[in-house]
Amino acid sequence: MNEQPRIFTAMESDIGLRLDKFLALKMPEFSRNEIQKFEIKQNQKEVKLSAKLREGDVVEVIIPEKTSTTSFVFDTSSSIKLEILFEDDDVIVVNKPRGVAMYPGAGREADTLVHSVLAHTKLSILGGELRPGVVHRLDKDTSGVVILAKSDTAFRALVKVFAEHDLTRKYIAFVWGVPNWTEADIEGNIGRSTRNRQKMSMLNRGGKEAKTLAEVLNVWTDAGISKMRCTLFTGRTHQIRVHLSAHGFPVVCDPLYGRGNARLGSVKNPELLEFLKTHQGQMLHAEVLEFVHPTTGEQMKFKAKLPEDMKELQSLL
């Protein structure tokens, strides 16, 4: 059985837009690959996704109903301790530990956050069989607040919220360097590095617009380390790590962007030096997530306390 068709009408601002791009903007909860599989008509006629829109064009989309089952077998005996900050029938908010991947992928078929949540409750399959319920992500070695969708209604609404950046996300970062400012707006397009495909970088041309507000919370001049709170106004891959590193303040213990080895020589405290040499994973924590509940409309705010390793670093400083 199919869902009810979705109907969209092209406005003046949509004139000349490709149909696939138009639908990607109208239905951000679906990827372009997914959209290609839908039954799509323009003015009641079959049409190619490369077709250009005219004002007043009526686009009809029929989305095949997804089943609530997945062919991927999740091992629900996850060893990850799940810290639940909030849960109802539509969403679950958790504090993700550092070192835990969000969902299965190459080289990680067990003990992801999704495994752990599925051992506790159901998740919306609209995210795909490997990413059920996932509407945003944190890097494996970033800890902090994550929301996952349990219902399909919540999934669709939250995807739109994150696509439109209609929420508040704040992170705590320990960085190398002592800035001569207390607050800075960092802007610069981010895209895949041409030198190292595992890395992102700031680009003069291309990429996606990105903006981060960085606030200095504390400085330790002797160690050459600062504590910052970073607010995201966009949500690009590795955004905070890239922006801070590009401006001379790489996140401590960041293996991709940290450039920490060059700074270790200035660290005199032997315990701090040992921590910095041996710790795995960037000192970055998603502290605050604030959003409007996708079904109740209630304003929600969640804050995750610093993980033990970041507390240890702060104590050593």
Side-chain angles (χ1 to χ4, degrees):
M1 181 178 178
N2 290 338
E3 292 188 355
Q4 289 295 313
R6 298 197 195 183
I7 309 294
F8 305 103
T9 302
M11 311 299 287
E12 183 180 357
S13 58
D14 301 317
I15 294 175
L17 201 62
R18 278 176 56 115
L19 182 56
D20 55 357
K21 187 172 183 180
F22 173 76
L23 291 176
L25 293 171
K26 293 294 184 182
M27 302 188 297
E29 68 269 30
F30 298 107
S31 69
R32 292 203 185 187
N33 285 336
E34 288 176 309
I35 291 172
Q36 289 174 3
K37 300 173 184 176
F38 300 161
E39 182 182 339
I40 300 168
K41 292 182 179 181
Q42 185 173 328
N43 302 325
Q44 299 184 332
K45 295 180 181 179
E46 300 286 342
V47 66
K48 293 183 178 180
L49 285 171
S50 58
K52 300 293 181 66
L53 290 171
R54 297 165 297 180
E55 185 177 5
D57 281 346
V58 177
V59 180
E60 179 181 346
V61 183
I62 297 177
I63 305 167
E65 186 177 24
K66 289 194 175 184
T67 62
S68 59
T69 60
T70 172
S71 61
F72 184 86
V73 179
F74 280 91
D75 178 4
T76 55
S77 61
S78 175
S79 63
I80 301 166
K81 183 179 179 181
L82 194 62
E83 183 182 346
I84 300 172
L85 304 179
F86 174 82
E87 183 180 8
D88 62 12
D89 290 339
D90 294 295
V91 300
I92 181 169
V93 183
V94 301
N95 183 12
K96 185 184 87 66
R98 192 180 325 285
V100 174
M102 286 288 300
Y103 44 78
R108 53 176 193 274
E109 296 182 356
D111 279 344
T112 69
L113 187 68
V114 165
H115 282 89
S116 183
V117 174
L118 283 175
H120 168 75
T121 188
K122 66 173 186 176
L123 290 171
S124 168
I125 195 61
L126 291 185
E129 65 174 16
L130 296 183
R131 297 185 291 176
V134 176
V135 295
H136 72 121
R137 63 181 293 273
L138 295 180
D139 296 330
K140 177 182 177 182
D141 287 326
T142 297
S143 58
V145 187
V146 172
I147 181 171
L148 296 101
K150 294 175 62 175
S151 71
D152 292 351
T153 299
F155 182 90
R156 293 189 178 100
L158 287 171
V159 166
K160 186 176 181 181
V161 165
F162 278 90
E164 296 176 351
H165 315 298
D166 190 18
L167 73 168
T168 300
R169 285 178 286 177
K170 296 179 183 290
Y171 290 66
I172 296 295
F174 287 88
V175 304
W176 288 107
V178 177
N180 58 4
W181 42 264
T182 58
E183 184 176 298
D185 281 316
I186 303 176
E187 298 186 56
N189 285 22
I190 290 177
R192 188 70 57 182
S193 170
T194 56
R195 296 181 179 181
N196 182 347
R197 302 301 294 175
Q198 291 184 320
K199 297 179 67 173
M200 308 300 286
S201 64
M202 286 182 62
L203 304 174
N204 293 324
R205 294 182 180 179
K208 294 182 178 180
E209 178 186 6
K211 179 180 178 181
T212 306
L213 171 65
E215 305 169 81
V216 180
L217 301 180
N218 208 342
V219 297
W220 294 271
T221 306
D222 290 346
I225 291 175
S226 301
K227 180 183 180 182
M228 294 185 180
R229 175 174 287 117
C230 297
T231 302
L232 289 181
F233 291 94
T234 53
R236 310 308 178 201
T237 301
H238 298 175
Q239 178 174 320
I240 292 173
R241 298 162 67 189
V242 171
H243 268 173
L244 292 179
S245 181
H247 283 75
F249 303 99
V251 178
V252 170
C253 296
D254 187 336
L256 269 183
Y257 308 99
R259 306 196 301 273
N261 289 339
R263 302 172 184 256
L264 292 177
S266 62
V267 178
K268 307 304 180 185
N269 181 330
E271 289 183 284
L272 175 59
L273 183 61
E274 180 65 18
F275 178 94
L276 296 172
K277 283 183 174 180
T278 59
H279 187 272
Q280 299 294 315
Q282 61 270 3
M283 294 284 92
L284 183 62
H285 175 68
E287 180 191 36
V288 172
L289 180 63
E290 189 172 357
F291 59 94
V292 174
H293 192 285
T295 58
T296 68
E298 181 183 355
Q299 187 71 32
M300 314 286 285
K301 181 177 180 179
F302 299 98
K303 185 174 182 179
K305 61 185 179 181
L306 282 181
E308 292 303 316
D309 55 359
M310 291 179 77
K311 289 181 182 178
E312 182 182 355
L313 173 60
Q314 186 166 262
S315 176
L316 289 170
L317 289 167

